[in-house]
Amino acid sequence: MSLLELDGVKVHFPVKKGLFFDRTVGHVYAVDGVSLSVEAGQTYGLVGESGCGKTTLGRAVLRLNDITDGAVVFDGTDLAKLPSEEMRTFRRRLQMVFQDPLGSLNPRQNIESILAEGMAAHNIGKDQAERREKIKEILARVGLPANAMSRYPHEFSGGQRQRIGIARALVLEPDVIICDEPVSALDVSVQAQVINLLEELQESLGLTYLVIAHDLAVVRHISDVIGVMYLGGLVEEAPSDALYAGPRHPYTKALMSAVPVPDPEVEDRRTRILLHGDLPSPADPPAGCRFHTRCPWVQETKCATERPPLLDTGDGHKVACHFTAGIEAGTVKQTLATGIEAVISTEAVATEAVEVSEGDASPEAPASDAPTEKEEPATVPAQADAGSADRAEESPKA
C-alpha cells in the first residue's frame, strides 16, 4: 500500500445568496474527483495553470479545507473520516510549506517561538532547553545560523524565510511534506538553493514530498512522478521523464509546448499549440470532458457527454482522454486550429461582440446628436449682439 492515497477526492465550495437567510444557489467545483497515490520516499509533482485546484487539493490532504467526498488514506488511515482531535495528532506526520514565506510566519514572534510552538503542541522535547537545542540543529540543517532564533521574520530575505518555513515543518519530524509553490516567490538563484536543500533533506531524512507548482522546469527537476490538473481534475499522470518526452493528453501537449527551449534554432522550428478561448469557470464546468471546449482534437461523440476516466495506457502512463490512442496514431484529426489562427479567431469573436454591442447602442446616437445640430444655428452670441444693438439705438433717443 502507498504511503498516501487519494481516492475520488472532491472539494466543493457552496455559493450562497440572500440578505437575511443564506441559501445555496450553486457550488464552485474546485477539486472534482482526484485519485492519486504517493509512495514513501517519492516526490510527486502536481502542475497546472492557476485556478485548476492544485493548492485546494494540497490543503484538503491536511484537512485545512473540508473534503466534500472521497478518501484521503495516509498510512492506512482515512483522514477524511477522522474527528478533529485525532486529525490534530496526525498533522505531526503531515506538514506543509506555504507559498508566501512572509505571510505564513507570525510577525510578532521570533523564530525560536515560531518553531517551538508546534513542538510544544505535539509534546516534542522535555523542556524549553531541549527544544532550543533541537531548533538549533534544524536551523543548521537548512543553512541558518543559531543567532537567527532571536530574530523576527521581517529581518530575513525571501530565501531565508522559506528556509524557516521548511525548518518549521522539519522540527515535527514529519513523514510527508506538502510544498505549495515553495520557490515561486524567489529569485532564480535562490530557487536553485531551496530546491537543492529539499533534495538533500529528502535523502538524509527519507521524506516524501507532494510538490505543487506551475513552473514546469522546477517540477521536472525535483519530481519522480508528475500529475497534470485541469479544472479540478487529473488529466494525465506519468513518470517525470516519460511525461516530458511524450505527453499524451491534448492539454499536456499544449502545456509543454509553452515551455521555451534555450536553443534558438530548435525554438524556431518547433510548433506552439495555441488553445481557443479561456478557462471555463469552476462554478459552471462543461459537461463531459472538462477540456473539450478548448481541445484541438475534440470530436462530436463522447467528448461533450462522457467524462473520460484516468486510465493506464502503458508503462504507468495514465491519461484521461477518449481518443488517446487515435491521437497518438494520427487517425484522429484536429478539428480546431492550434496555430495563430486560434488566437485570431478568439480575437475576432471578441471584436464581433464589441461591434454588436456598439451596434445596439448606435440607433440612439442620432437622436441625441440631432438636437445639438439643430440648436447650433441659433447661437446665443448673435442674440446678445442684437440686444446690444437695440440698446445702442435707444441710448441716443434718451
Side-chain angles (χ1 to χ4, degrees):
M1 178 181 289
S2 303
L3 179 62
L4 178 64
E5 291 185 5
L6 278 63
D7 184 18
V9 174
K10 297 181 181 181
V11 180
H12 299 167
F13 297 105
V15 178
K16 296 185 178 296
K17 187 177 181 180
L19 185 59
F20 298 105
F21 301 100
D22 285 342
R23 55 191 177 89
T24 301
V25 296
H27 288 85
V28 175
Y29 302 93
V31 178
D32 199 27
V34 173
S35 299
L36 58 87
S37 60
V38 185
E39 304 294 334
Q42 189 182 64
T43 299
Y44 190 103
L46 204 59
V47 299
E49 58 191 308
S50 298
C52 69
K54 305 185 301 295
T55 297
T56 303
L57 181 63
R59 293 175 64 89
V61 173
L62 286 166
R63 292 267 302 274
L64 299 179
N65 288 331
D66 292 334
I67 300 172
T68 305
D69 193 14
V72 178
V73 181
F74 174 66
D75 200 14
T77 302
D78 188 358
L79 303 182
K81 298 178 180 179
L82 285 181
S84 300
E85 191 61 32
E86 293 184 30
M87 183 61 209
R88 182 184 179 188
T89 61
F90 264 91
R91 285 205 178 100
R92 174 180 175 178
R93 301 179 61 190
L94 284 161
Q95 284 296 298
M96 192 167 190
V97 177
F98 295 91
Q99 179 176 359
D100 182 8
L102 182 59
S104 64
L105 301 175
N106 191 335
R108 296 179 179 273
Q109 291 181 289
N110 60 24
I111 305 308
E112 180 181 0
S113 176
I114 290 174
L115 270 59
E117 187 175 23
M119 299 174 69
H122 292 281
N123 299 318
I124 299 175
K126 297 178 181 179
D127 51 27
Q128 186 176 357
E130 185 174 338
R131 290 171 187 155
R132 183 177 290 114
E133 291 301 317
K134 185 172 179 62
I135 290 172
K136 289 180 180 179
E137 178 187 345
I138 295 298
L139 289 177
R141 276 185 175 274
V142 299
L144 292 175
N147 60 12
M149 296 171 59
S150 60
R151 295 159 62 186
Y152 289 82
H154 71 273
E155 300 180 57
F156 296 91
S157 66
Q160 290 174 322
R161 284 194 288 263
Q162 196 61 290
R163 290 171 184 266
I164 294 169
I166 296 171
R168 179 175 57 183
L170 290 177
V171 292
L172 300 182
E173 301 174 353
D175 296 319
V176 177
I177 296 181
I178 300 172
C179 302
D180 181 19
E181 303 276 7
V183 296
S184 62
L186 307 178
D187 294 335
V188 176
S189 59
V190 181
Q191 285 183 7
Q193 296 173 13
V194 173
I195 291 298
N196 291 334
L197 172 63
L198 290 173
E199 290 183 326
E200 292 172 3
L201 292 172
Q202 185 177 38
E203 292 178 1
S204 60
L205 302 176
L207 298 172
T208 302
Y209 291 142
L210 175 60
V211 179
I212 299 167
H214 62 265
D215 191 330
L216 299 175
V218 169
V219 174
R220 182 180 187 180
H221 177 75
I222 196 174
S223 302
D224 301 310
V225 178
I226 297 177
V228 182
M229 285 190 69
Y230 180 81
L231 204 61
L234 205 62
V235 297
E236 188 165 0
E237 180 187 272
S240 177
D241 293 336
L243 185 73
Y244 279 80
R248 297 178 185 176
H249 193 279
Y251 174 67
T252 312
K253 291 176 182 286
L255 201 64
M256 295 301 177
S257 74
V259 181
V261 178
D263 186 334
E265 295 181 359
V266 176
E267 181 69 19
D268 290 340
R269 290 196 305 267
R270 76 190 188 98
T271 303
R272 171 77 188 276
I273 299 177
L274 302 176
L275 300 176
H276 284 257
D278 298 322
L279 183 72
S281 170
D284 186 22
C289 176
R290 295 287 193 262
F291 188 58
H292 85 267
T293 57
R294 306 172 70 193
C295 180
W297 288 273
V298 63
Q299 303 296 306
E300 294 182 359
T301 58
K302 289 189 175 182
C303 291
T305 56
E306 298 180 23
R307 187 174 182 183
L310 189 70
L311 300 177
D312 195 336
T313 59
D315 301 328
H317 203 137
K318 299 179 181 179
V319 184
C321 179
H322 295 299
F323 302 98
T324 302
I327 293 173
E328 292 299 308
T331 57
V332 176
K333 303 300 181 181
Q334 289 187 11
T335 55
L336 294 178
T338 58
I340 190 64
E341 299 87 355
V343 179
I344 292 175
S345 63
T346 303
E347 292 179 351
V349 171
T351 304
E352 183 179 353
V354 173
E355 291 175 352
V356 170
S357 62
E358 291 177 350
D360 294 340
S362 59
E364 299 176 1
S368 60
D369 293 338
T372 306
E373 293 176 358
K374 292 179 181 179
E375 290 172 1
E376 285 179 358
T379 56
V380 176
Q383 296 175 355
D385 292 343
S388 61
D390 292 342
R391 287 193 298 272
E393 292 176 357
E394 292 174 358
S395 57
K397 295 179 181 179

